[in-house]
Amino acid sequence: MQNKIAAARFRAKALSDIRAFFSARNVLEVETPLLSQGASHDFHIDLFSVPSEPVTGDMRFLQTSPEPHMKRLLARGYPDIFQISKAFRMGESGKKHNPEFSMIEWYRLDFSLLQMMAETVELCQTVVGPLPATYVSYGEAFLKATGLDPFSAGYELLVSHPTIAAHGLKVKDFAEAPDVLNFLMSEVVEPSLNPSILTIIHSFPLILSSQAQPDPQNPQASLRFEVFAGGMELGNGYQELRDIGEYRLRFERENAKRKAAGKPVPPLDERLFGDMQEGFPACSGVAVGLDRLIQLGMGLSRLNEVLEFPWEKS
Amino acid sequence: MGMISTNEFRKRARILLDGQPCMIVENEFVKPGKGQAFNRVKLQNLLTGRQLERTFKSGESFEEADISYTTMQFLFTDGKIYTFMDTKSYEQVEIPKESMDGAERWLLENTECEVAFWGEKPISVTPPIFMDLIITYTEPAVKGDTSNNVTKKATIETGGEIDIPLFIGEGMKVRVDTRTGEYVERAK
């Protein structure tokens, strides 16, 4: 297929441009393990687990992101680092998803969220070309698209949004407020964004903070952002949480949900905490989906069009 | 019948939704990075033929609909009930006009159709894609008609109405696309 070869050429150029981008900024390329004893605790991310010991059959997990290992490097005193690696998320197959995908992840010491957002825009532009960028807060974007203030609305009001009934969904399909926020974000807010510019949505609600720090200016918000273009989420960044106790709390909360739903519960990553014990530096980090950047840069409508061997054909 | 989950929603898979048999037309996986995954699904209600869009939580399961297809020959009608015969077992079934979905407009005696059954109940009839049918009534072409009409109405031997080119007259045979109800070409 001629257009797949064009996609391969586009990818090769993107990879070399991304490496030049980081090299010019003195960011060190690293490579960390794909198989790990620890794994993401995120309730909505399903893990591939692989028998990894011939006698005992002990399992390891394929990484859903290189985040834990890269954070361990930072805790061990590494400078600014980046990595281009595969990430694996079971069951995520569709127009914008492939269960195995390529991710660009990088960390910048002493970067504020603002600096990180600016650099993320530049990185995206390196691959997709000079799209203009616009910044908007989560609260503002959400209110404009849905008519609801995500910080004050609460579960009851959020779940009564007409979009939910229009999709034939019921209240019981949403366990808690974050689920409704995520749904309305992807079904109402995202489609309302201009697809031909980069939109950076920042200051996510604290209940969606994931591994971001709370926002010192706004107790309900967190230092998390996402970048969108072409009707897709391209990347997700944080000013990184540094408090081990808070990490434990957030991971345990997700694990409790996993347990209740009968999903595999990965043990807390004591290796990560052990490394962080030595002190975790002030930094910001971001992950950007490389395949989606290539799709956007080539003006294609499906992720499969840039993958020679998408999931069904691999 | 077994259960079928959104992950197994291939095109043409058939499920029971609110007690009605539906066929999957399109299935799109939707998931915000850290959020719950959904499937945005386009379905066709096999009783009414209507398309609908619904969103389901990924992994939700549905009862499979017991739909089967049989080739049957159209025998006769009294205008309300259409009688067909299974070409293998010679068994006859009677299908009310409401379940014919307009297929009755193209049926000649002995035409072989595909009949869909939900359990024992016939729910739809698909005629052959192309039928060659005789024009039984149409206005003669008016010489010097300067209006922009390039087609005219016609009635065919099975009672259906189609638009035909001006040069086609009564008694001629034409090929009709039964999916769209459109004239294709003059038939021999």
Side-chain angles (χ1 to χ4, degrees):
Chain A
M1 290 262 282
Q2 213 55 38
N3 49 348
K4 290 285 176 80
I5 295 174
R9 286 189 206 285
F10 195 98
R11 180 180 296 264
K13 177 161 192 319
L15 287 170
S16 115
D17 290 347
I18 291 164
R19 292 199 159 96
F21 176 93
F22 286 119
S23 169
R25 287 164 176 76
N26 241 335
V27 181
L28 176 67
E29 178 161 16
V30 295
E31 205 172 274
T32 55
L34 295 180
L35 282 166
S36 169
Q37 297 167 80
S40 166
H41 304 280
D42 280 348
F43 179 61
H44 292 304
I45 294 183
D46 287 331
L47 307 165
F48 284 95
S49 49
V50 182
S52 298
E53 214 290 329
V55 179
T56 62
D58 282 356
M59 305 296 258
R60 288 199 171 217
F61 299 100
L62 278 171
Q63 70 175 7
T64 60
S65 123
E67 184 166 12
H69 280 121
M70 292 181 78
K71 283 186 170 169
R72 289 176 67 187
L73 294 181
L74 295 171
R76 291 175 178 207
Y78 273 63
D80 296 325
I81 47 176
F82 84 98
Q83 179 162 205
I84 304 169
S85 69
K86 284 293 180 78
F88 303 85
R89 298 181 181 184
M90 196 159 71
E92 300 194 6
S93 195
K95 199 175 166 191
K96 305 176 193 171
H97 294 84
N98 200 55
E100 171 180 347
F101 62 102
S102 296
M103 190 182 257
I104 313 156
E105 174 129 352
W106 75 104
Y107 291 85
R108 298 288 252 142
L109 301 176
D110 297 318
F111 257 39
S112 68
L113 195 71
L114 205 64
Q115 288 172 293
M116 204 66 200
M117 291 192 285
E119 191 166 273
T120 303
V121 166
E122 288 174 53
L123 184 280
C124 291
Q125 288 168 336
T126 301
V127 179
V128 304
L131 296 188
T134 180
Y135 293 74
V136 58
S137 76
Y138 188 101
E140 206 181 313
F142 200 93
L143 181 65
K144 193 174 158 209
T146 68
L148 294 173
D149 174 359
F151 294 97
S152 65
Y155 175 78
E156 296 293 332
L157 195 57
L158 288 168
V159 89
S160 62
H161 192 276
T163 300
I164 290 178
H167 279 260
L169 286 160
K170 298 178 185 71
V171 171
K172 68 166 173 58
D173 290 324
F174 300 90
E176 48 185 12
D179 293 334
V180 200
L181 289 174
N182 281 325
F183 179 76
L184 293 176
M185 187 71 185
S186 78
E187 291 302 309
V188 185
V189 184
E190 261 187 61
S192 77
L193 305 175
N194 181 343
S196 16
I197 62 176
L198 293 160
T199 303
I200 297 87
I201 296 186
H202 57 83
S203 308
F204 272 52
L206 196 58
I207 51 173
L208 297 177
S209 59
S210 196
Q211 297 182 32
Q213 276 188 28
D215 182 348
Q217 315 290 326
N218 176 357
Q220 282 187 301
S222 64
L223 299 178
R224 173 181 173 190
F225 74 93
E226 286 191 338
V227 53
F228 298 87
M232 295 182 285
E233 178 206 331
L234 298 175
N236 176 40
Y238 314 129
Q239 192 164 320
E240 301 289 347
L241 194 62
R242 299 175 67 192
D243 177 351
I244 297 181
E246 185 60 28
Y247 272 106
R248 277 191 188 279
L249 207 67
R250 293 186 189 184
F251 290 167
E252 275 166 358
R253 205 158 48 208
E254 292 296 300
N255 264 357
K257 285 197 278 177
R258 298 184 74 93
K259 191 170 176 211
K263 290 188 179 191
V265 181
L268 291 200
D269 192 348
E270 294 302 336
R271 291 165 199 81
L272 169 66
F273 296 140
D275 283 333
M276 287 178 87
Q277 207 79 51
E278 305 301 315
F280 184 72
C283 64
S284 290
V286 61
V288 170
L290 176 61
D291 308 310
R292 287 186 183 179
L293 278 188
I294 294 168
Q295 180 196 326
L296 183 68
M298 295 185 72
L300 299 171
S301 61
R302 300 181 68 89
L303 203 65
N304 280 1
E305 295 177 81
V306 304
L307 303 172
E308 182 68 59
F309 302 116
W311 190 245
E312 319 73 63
K313 294 184 179 155
S314 66
Chain B
M1 296 300 283
M3 299 294 282
I4 173 167
S5 108
T6 56
N7 307 324
E8 304 162 296
F9 276 10
R10 310 272 175 263
K11 263 183 202 167
R12 294 186 65 79
R14 294 172 288 260
I15 61 163
L16 276 185
L17 182 63
D18 306 326
Q20 309 233 314
C22 293
M23 181 169 78
I24 309 299
V25 179
E26 259 176 54
N27 176 20
E28 197 189 334
F29 178 81
V30 191
K31 184 180 187 300
K34 309 246 174 223
Q36 159 79 47
F38 291 92
N39 289 66
R40 200 185 293 140
V41 183
K42 200 178 274 176
L43 309 107
Q44 185 179 26
N45 182 317
L46 294 174
L47 295 183
T48 63
R50 264 195 214 109
Q51 288 215 350
L52 60 153
E53 282 188 57
R54 291 282 290 268
T55 300
F56 305 114
K57 270 172 80 167
S58 288
E60 200 175 328
S61 286
F62 297 84
E63 208 179 313
E64 242 178 304
D66 175 17
I67 303 287
S68 57
Y69 296 91
T70 309
T71 304
M72 302 197 102
Q73 213 170 45
F74 170 59
L75 298 181
F76 56 85
T77 179
D78 64 1
K80 286 180 196 143
I81 300 288
Y82 289 74
T83 304
F84 286 80
M85 182 183 69
D86 187 326
T87 50
K88 287 202 185 96
S89 68
Y90 305 112
E91 261 177 64
Q92 292 189 7
V93 293
E94 295 186 332
I95 303 179
K97 192 175 177 196
E98 321 61 282
S99 299
M100 293 291 294
D101 307 327
E104 72 277 7
R105 289 171 298 163
W106 320 117
L107 296 188
L108 288 170
E109 211 171 286
N110 299 333
T111 301
E112 285 195 354
C113 299
E114 191 182 58
V115 179
F117 288 85
W118 178 27
E120 300 286 302
K121 188 183 168 186
I123 54 170
S124 75
V125 175
T126 310
I129 293 173
F130 297 111
M131 289 289 291
D132 292 347
L133 299 163
I134 295 167
I135 303 291
T136 51
Y137 173 79
T138 187
E139 299 284 350
V142 180
K143 256 192 193 156
D145 183 357
T146 53
S147 72
N148 290 324
N149 290 339
V150 288
T151 61
K152 57 181 179 177
K153 297 257 179 253
T155 308
I156 49 180
E157 56 181 317
T158 53
E161 284 200 349
I162 58 168
D163 291 328
I164 55 170
L166 299 178
F167 68 86
I168 302 283
E170 280 179 15
M172 291 182 185
K173 200 180 250 190
V174 297
R175 179 158 293 180
V176 181
D177 184 330
T178 63
R179 295 167 301 184
T180 56
E182 279 168 10
Y183 165 90
V184 181
E185 61 187 359
R186 194 169 166 191
K188 292 180 184 96

